[in-house]
Amino acid sequence: MEKINVNYPKMYYGFPVILISFYDKNGGPNVTTLSSSYTLKDMVVLGFSSKGYAINQIKEVKDFVINIPDASLVKDVNFCGRNSGFEVNKFESSNLTPVKSKVVNAPIIDECPIAIECTLTDVIERDYYDGVTNILANIKGRAIAKDYLDEEGQLKLMKIDNLIYIADGVNRGYRYMKSE
Ligand SMILES: Cc1cc2nc3c(=O)[nH]c(=O)nc-3n(C[C@H](O)[C@H](O)[C@H](O)COP(=O)(O)O)c2cc1C
């Protein structure tokens, strides 16, 4: 395979889009779009631009929910990823509905089939990664839409219909997984 060296500012090689929902310091629900995440066992890592509204609220309120939207929610994903909570209450301006989690003090997005309830444990900011805030969080609970579960209560893998975000700093877009 012949390769060409490139000098992209980023190489997002396919990450599931997630919606992070939280109650801000005043108790108001808000939400932002993210693709930088990974999870292992009961831990999750998220990457934020340091100046955003969501990360600066989550650093204080600690609790949040990772919601996994399916392809039908692409409009709301784009809206929440192009507007800041500094200017808008994204729940009021979108079709998304906040419902209080039973496990953490944060709202679950009703329209998303999967919700992962988290509490912040670590904030990692380094001078050599200027403008980036990584956080680690502990997973306290998981809530999944009934029709995504089989008779044993396990996840039906073929139901997953995530949006996969790919970007090189100039080109960017979604790839869609096919549902059953
Ligand atoms: C598909 C998609 C993926 C995104 N991924 C990230 C991300 O991983 N980290 C991040 O900080 N911003 C990401 N953004 C941008 C934020 O969602 C955007 O800057 C948003 O306006 C921040 O809102 P806030 O100020 O309310 O936090 C993404 C946007 C889109 C549309």
Side-chain angles (χ1 to χ4, degrees), residues 11-148:
M11 179 77 236
Y12 296 166
Y13 42 86
F15 294 90
V17 173
I18 57 180
L19 291 169
I20 307 298
S21 53
F22 54 95
Y23 292 123
D24 67 18
K25 279 186 292 179
N26 301 319
N30 222 316
V31 48
T32 199
T33 302
L34 233 64
S35 70
S36 302
S37 81
Y38 97 87
T39 182
L40 197 62
K41 298 189 177 177
D42 66 348
M43 182 213 63
V44 63
V45 182
L46 303 178
F48 291 85
S49 294
S50 304
K51 287 188 178 151
Y53 181 77
I55 182 58
N56 285 289
Q57 293 293 319
I58 288 167
K59 276 160 84 170
E60 299 202 36
V61 300
K62 314 275 191 218
D63 283 0
F64 63 90
V65 175
I66 299 171
N67 305 269
I68 317 297
D70 63 24
S72 70
L73 296 174
V74 65
K75 258 193 183 172
D76 297 297
V77 161
N78 285 330
F79 177 79
C80 295
R82 290 177 186 158
N83 293 281
S84 175
F86 285 117
E87 277 119 39
V88 281
N89 179 322
K90 298 187 219 177
F91 275 114
E92 277 173 14
S93 313
S94 72
N95 300 312
L96 302 174
T97 314
V99 178
K100 194 180 173 332
S101 158
K102 293 178 189 137
V103 177
V104 294
N105 185 30
I108 284 177
I109 300 176
D110 199 37
E111 291 76 10
C112 292
I114 298 177
I116 301 171
E117 297 145 308
C118 304
T119 300
L120 179 74
T121 56
D122 298 79
V123 177
I124 301 162
E125 293 171 331
R126 297 285 180 265
D127 291 343
Y128 43 84
Y129 295 125
D130 191 30
V132 174
T133 300
N134 284 299
I135 63 169
L136 275 59
N138 180 233
I139 296 171
K140 297 275 184 64
R142 301 178 177 96
I144 301 178
K146 260 191 193 161
D147 61 335
Y148 277 58

